[in-house]
Amino acid sequence: MPARVEQPVSELEERRARRVRDLMAEMSLDEKLAQLVGVWLNANRDEGVVAPMQDSMQGEEVEFEAFAGAGLGQITRHYGTRPVDPRHAAGVLAARQRWLRDRTRLGVPALAHEECLTGLAAWRAAVYPVPPAWGASFDPELVERMAGRIGASMRELGVHQGLAPVLDVIRDQRWGRVEECISEDPYEVATIGAAYVRGLQSAGVVATLKHFVGYSNSRAGRNLAPVHAGAREVADTLLFPFEVAVRDAGAGSVMNSYAEIDGVPVAADAHYLTRVLREEWGFDGTVVADYFSVAFLHTLHAVAEDAEDAAVQALTAGIDVELPTGVAYLEPLKKAVTSGRLDEALVDRALLRVLRQKARLGLLDDGYEPVEPEGPVDLDDPGAREVARLLAEESVVLLANDGVLPLGDAAGRRLAVVGPNADEVAALFGCYSFVQHVLPHFPGAETGIAAPTLLEALRAELPGAVIETARGTGVDDGDRSGIAEAARLAAGSDVAIVVLGDRSGLFGRGTSGEGCDAESLELPGAQRELAEAVIATGTPTVVVLMTGRAYAVPGLLRDAAAVVQAFFPGEEGAGAIARVLSGAVNPSGRLPMSLPRSVAGQPYSYLHPKLGGAGSVSNIDPAPALPFGHGLSYTTFAYADLSADATAPAGGSIRCSVTVRNAGDRPGAEVVQLYAADRVASVTRPLAQLVGYARVELAPGRSARVTFEVPSRLLAFTGRDGRRIVEPGEVALSVRRSVADVVEERAVMLTGPVHEITGAEPRLTAVTVEPAEPTQPAEPAEQER
């Protein structure tokens, strides 16, 4: 690891460091251990499970004052456990912080954490699109803006740490938690994930990277199933987003994965939690345990004989804080220290990290006063809704279109809007939204936010159309009794809109989400039959998919007039889809994951070597129905004048430029995608990998020159001897509309000796977009969509 450059220490920083030292010197063992655990109040198991094995792992309900008598590290999900009025709850939280400050011996406040993947997971808080929608937007700046608003709402309520973003790289569409992931491409995950970190932490809230590492690579796409990934796959693909979030975005916390990699649970693996994370990358924040994962070393993984053994292994490996509560890090860990089994220095190591983080957040400052809003609290203000709208609009992907879209104002036309998700508000939200994560356990509770269904949004967007509706079937109930009625309605209409997809939930209570893995990638229930029946009427049919994962729908892509994909698009999502259908918004989303042809190709990633594709040696073709990066528009874009350095040092960078022009008659946004391919290497390499992208908004006839400065670090891989290297040799750089649609390619020769990665190299491609001179209509040499 390169030597750090020492920065001047401010008076405030020195005062805080002194306070940390003084506290550590003063603390008893009980007080030290109290700082290494959280407490989860009101987590009533009878009201539903929202964490793995919560029903068996969460102990009896405790009183706050009794639990926190020696102090407290964290308060778990104060807002995210049940529907509570935000302002009232903020007052309760502030009172508990004052109690810790005034009534415990050392007066150390707790750090409060909440889930915040699609917005603060609290009642009445804004709900944004799920991470695959962020990936579909290819717009890190907008994601950063969203995260900044999320962080501001958390800080207003006295929350210090957010359990997001998820940086797992999608490897298998069957996995239920695909809906929490950004992309199947590690570069896109890294760039958009880092943007989220910057946004959240700009508001003074600590971002927590999840799930470090390997979680998404589980066998058969099953949640918590073993991971069998080689060291090369982990290093070259799965770790990269976390490295960027730590080294380039400065993430303050990391949460371990539940997974075991090649037989070793990550929660007990010092290689990842200490050697890679801290010694290689220089991470100086806290590592927090995913809920109950310390105890799981005993109860699920069977690598620890009891809670004490589990605590010793986790703390030694590098987990600083046990969440959600103190199952193993209180009495069991105390026993290990007092018996001499565990060196108290390891407790002090974790304690130092925890207190430093609290100091940085101002919790240890003289005169600390907890946050308590004085006036009304609006967690879903117009600014939040504007960002939610923009992100939803940018993330809608037009998969197929024979010209039926856009609909225009549809005045006087008859539209049949059918399907289980047409008039279902839950179809807008992912499983880590408060609406789907918590409210199902409180029947009768209001959602607390305004969110029209797609049917309601279409009626508002197309007031001149005659719109009739039928449900047809449920998401996964298999009920076929309403299909004939839906088909009859469609037969008498000018256009049919069939709204299909998922219902998010937890642990089998949905078709997508944590613990809701898929045996098949067919649409759940009888939804495909509904769509086929409507298409068979001959009425032009638009299929809208509102899902958490990509489904295998090759027949619908072939037979429907148009297919639109929206990954759970949030509270403004229905309006966004309606505006795309009408043409008020030009679709610009691109697939952040390959759209499978069938389940047979899973697990699948476009980042496969030559033998990962179709060939004469197997009867199964894993090629997707639509590739990563695919997405259509209502306008056309032309490319010209691709240039790239002919040579570049293996330890340097490659400069590449291309001109893109809106050749159509509508404003639109093109996602310019740059890929690289290593022609020959000492280990097998992907046929193509994304190394840069730019979302470019252009008026009709206007052009832009897009320039990429690609660090050779992006071409690095783990060599045969285990070193991370960039080899000299020929590399192909290509501009593509998707990974499968090559516009133009240039050969670049990397020169010099093999370059061993030091960690000091740039990790991200610098991109500049500049207006270009207007050009005439496309010449034959131009590549036009």
Side-chain angles (χ1 to χ4, degrees), residues 629-668:
H630 171 82
L632 304 179
S633 172
Y634 297 148
T635 189
T636 57
F637 294 95
Y639 288 83
D641 303 327
L642 174 65
S643 66
D645 293 336
T647 64
S653 62
I654 307 166
R655 190 177 181 84
C656 173
S657 297
V658 70
T659 298
V660 59
R661 181 173 67 89
N662 184 341
D665 58 2
R666 289 172 176 262

Side-chain angles (χ1 to χ4, degrees), residues 196-248:
Y196 183 100
V197 171
R198 288 192 299 270
L200 196 74
Q201 295 193 162
S202 71
V205 173
V206 175
T208 308
L209 312 181
K210 298 162 55 174
H211 305 87
F212 186 75
V213 60
Y215 190 27
S216 59
N217 216 41
S218 58
R219 277 285 180 93
R222 292 178 57 249
N223 196 37
L224 270 70
V227 171
H228 295 280
R232 179 171 289 106
E233 181 179 2
V234 175
D236 293 355
T237 301
L238 305 181
L239 282 174
F240 181 69
F242 293 94
E243 181 181 7
V244 169
V246 168
R247 287 180 142 169
D248 296 277

Side-chain angles (χ1 to χ4, degrees), residues 416-424 455 468-487 489 497-500 503 526-527 530-531 534:
V417 180
V418 305
N421 281 343
D423 198 25
E424 178 57 69
L455 176 65
E468 296 182 281
T469 188
R471 188 165 183 260
T473 187
V475 168
D476 61 343
D477 58 15
D479 181 6
R480 293 164 173 81
S481 62
I483 291 178
E485 170 63 14
L489 201 64
I497 300 173
V498 186
V499 191
L500 310 174
R503 181 186 69 257
Q527 293 186 74
L530 169 63
V534 171

Side-chain angles (χ1 to χ4, degrees), residues 613-696:
S616 60
V617 296
S618 173
N619 63 316
I620 294 176
D621 182 357
L626 290 174
F628 173 86
H630 171 82
L632 304 179
S633 172
Y634 297 148
T635 189
T636 57
F637 294 95
Y639 288 83
D641 303 327
L642 174 65
S643 66
D645 293 336
T647 64
S653 62
I654 307 166
R655 190 177 181 84
C656 173
S657 297
V658 70
T659 298
V660 59
R661 181 173 67 89
N662 184 341
D665 58 2
R666 289 172 176 262
E670 173 72 325
V671 177
V672 181
Q673 303 169 45
L674 184 68
Y675 292 82
D678 202 338
R679 295 296 198 196
V680 178
S682 57
V683 301
T684 61
R685 300 293 294 140
L687 295 176
Q689 66 177 99
L690 186 71
V691 293
Y693 61 88
R695 180 184 173 86
V696 183

Side-chain angles (χ1 to χ4, degrees), residues 11 101 138 204 256 300 557:
E11 183 179 339
R101 182 194 64 189
F138 279 83
N256 72 282
L300 294 186
L557 293 170

